[in-house]
């Protein structure tokens, strides 16, 4: 029996290491969060209560003496899923480390809910606009500044990010719903390797099909080619992309950048040669791993990060 103890200790140590490698955040100090329904009284146009019919907000609140900035996080997934790990929870932690509260929005999409048919446009846009309005309407409760609420999106979530940065829900001052009494225009926008164009040779066809169907209405399609929708009202924007991205070509970000410049929208863009699509924080990729630090510096210059 004594001879077995070293082997047992060794086996247990290997098991602990394996668990930690498979779940790197298991023993980390994760910021506290809570999940709530985006539409507490039921989302518009929804009759069922199945998976995908009730979009959620996963709110991570920063404890601070004064109000902080906040950001709505829109994970990618081709409008057919949510890459909620490396494009959701990882960014809630990142923003929390900078003193910025966040809300991951599990917007409705194709393939889930709606009796199996899922949801296309304008539903994802309505959910993302509602997420911004929710943070703004509850600013005092959440200790956030209603004039410092932004949005970040990745891949197809980047398209949704650019959509709510160019298409705004206006406030309805006499609404019975306090969330609708405030507008949805974000105060800043971060698009990460985004599907920013629709109806173009460099459009990600799967995202377009999931959002608009196989034969989209030409006018609706044109309205969601978001570089053409940029106006002086588009909020200050941060873009990054890689030249090696073969899933969502870099032309998407280039066109959006040019549109921001043409409309005198404050914009910063960083392009890196190496790196596949969907990198998230990109910490294993030389060059591209610089982008979080560059974005943090940009947020500081916008005064979105409270001085320490």
């Amino acid at each position: 029996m004594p001879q077995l103890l070293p082997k047992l200790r060794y086996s247990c140590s290997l098991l602990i290491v394996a668990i930690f490698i498979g779940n790197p955040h298991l023993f980390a100090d994760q910021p506290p969060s809570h999940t709530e329904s985006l539409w507490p009284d039921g989302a518009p146009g929804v009759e069922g209560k199945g998976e995908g019919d009730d979009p959620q907000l996963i709110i991570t609140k920063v404890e601070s003496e004064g109000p902080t900035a906040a950001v709505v996080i829109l994970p990618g997934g081709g409008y057919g899923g949510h890459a909620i790990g490396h494009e959701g929870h990882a960014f809630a932690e990142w923003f929390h480390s900078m003193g910025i509260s966040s809300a991951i929005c599990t917007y409705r999409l194709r393939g889930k809910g709606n009796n199996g048919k899922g949801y296309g446009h304008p539903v994802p846009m309505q959910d993302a606009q509602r997420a911004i309005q929710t943070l703004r309407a509850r600013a005092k409760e959440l200790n956030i500044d209603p004039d410092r609420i932004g949005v970040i999106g990745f891949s197809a979530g980047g398209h949704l990010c650019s959509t709510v940065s160019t298409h705004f829900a206006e406030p309805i001052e006499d609404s019975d719903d306090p969330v609708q009494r405030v507008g949805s225009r974000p105060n800043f926008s971060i698009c990460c390797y985004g599907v920013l164009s629709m109806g173009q040779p460099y459009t990600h066809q799967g995202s377009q099909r999931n959002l608009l169907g196989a034969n989209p209405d030409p006018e609706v399609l044109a309205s969601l080619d978001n570089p053409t929708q940029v106006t002086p009202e588009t909020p200050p924007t941060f873009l990054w992309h890689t030249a090696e991205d073969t899933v969502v070509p870099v032309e998407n970000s280039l066109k959006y950048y040019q549109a921001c410049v043409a409309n005198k929208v404050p914009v910063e863009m960083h392009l890196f040669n190496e790196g596949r699509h969907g990198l998230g924080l990109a910490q294993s990729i030389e060059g591209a791993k610089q982008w979080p630090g560059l974005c943090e510096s940009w947020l500081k210059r916008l005064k979105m990060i409270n001085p320490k």
Side-chain angles (χ1 to χ4, degrees), residues 2 29 37 102 108 137 143 157 163 170 194 225 240 254 258 276 279 303:
D29 293 328
S37 177
S102 67
R108 288 170 286 169
N143 194 30
T163 299
E170 298 298 332
D225 184 22
W240 79 273
L254 291 170
Q258 291 173 331
R276 59 171 175 78
L279 290 176
K303 303 190 185 305

Side-chain angles (χ1 to χ4, degrees), residues 10 13 17 21 43 55-56 64 69 86 98 124 131 143 145 147 153 174 183 199-200 210 212 221 239 269 275 281:
Y10 179 72
S13 297
V17 170
I21 291 173
Q56 306 286 309
S64 170
H86 74 291
M98 294 185 284
N143 194 30
D145 184 341
D147 296 321
D174 60 351
Q200 301 296 336
N210 282 334
L212 297 173
L221 181 65
L239 303 158
M269 179 170 65
L281 286 165

Side-chain angles (χ1 to χ4, degrees), residues 111-123:
K112 292 183 180 179
N114 196 19
N115 297 318
K117 294 181 293 185
Y119 299 90
H121 181 73
V123 169

Side-chain angles (χ1 to χ4, degrees), residues 148-299:
R148 290 193 293 159
I149 297 174
V151 62
I152 185 171
F154 309 83
S155 192
H159 180 264
L160 188 52
C161 176
S162 67
T163 299
V164 296
S165 298
T166 52
H167 302 70
F168 311 136
E170 298 298 332
I172 304 173
E173 295 180 0
D174 60 351
S175 175
D176 293 333
D177 180 358
V179 173
Q180 290 188 334
R181 295 177 200 156
V182 298
S184 73
R185 179 187 177 274
N187 300 108
F188 63 91
S189 178
I190 304 170
C191 297
C192 308
Y193 43 86
V195 183
L196 306 181
S197 296
M198 291 282 163
Q200 301 296 336
Y202 42 84
T203 295
H204 182 250
Q205 295 301 316
S207 296
Q208 178 176 303
R209 184 168 54 252
N210 282 334
L211 183 65
L212 297 173
N215 298 294
D217 179 280
E219 290 188 9
V220 175
L221 181 65
S223 74
L224 294 172
D225 184 22
N226 287 331
T228 68
Q229 303 303 302
V230 172
T231 72
E233 291 300 307
T234 298
T237 299
F238 183 98
L239 303 158
W240 79 273
H241 219 122
T242 64
E244 287 185 349
D245 190 338
T246 59
V247 177
V248 178
V250 70
E251 283 85 352
N252 285 268
S253 291
L254 291 170
K255 294 293 185 182
Y256 200 86
Y257 174 81
Q258 291 173 331
C260 287
V261 171
N263 285 276
K264 295 182 171 50
V265 173
V267 61
E268 182 166 320
M269 179 170 65
H270 296 279
L271 304 179
F272 306 95
N273 187 55
E274 293 84 13
R276 59 171 175 78
H277 184 68
L279 290 176
L281 286 165
Q283 290 307 287
S284 64
I285 306 297
E286 290 299 326
K289 70 180 183 181
Q290 298 175 69
W291 89 262
L294 293 167
C295 188
E296 181 175 356
S297 175
W298 178 77
L299 288 167

Side-chain angles (χ1 to χ4, degrees), residues 57 70-74 101-105 128 131-132 135 149-153:
L57 284 181
V71 61
V72 170
I73 302 172
L74 303 171
S101 293
S102 67
I104 303 169
C105 178
I132 297 166
L135 294 185
I149 297 174
V151 62
I152 185 171

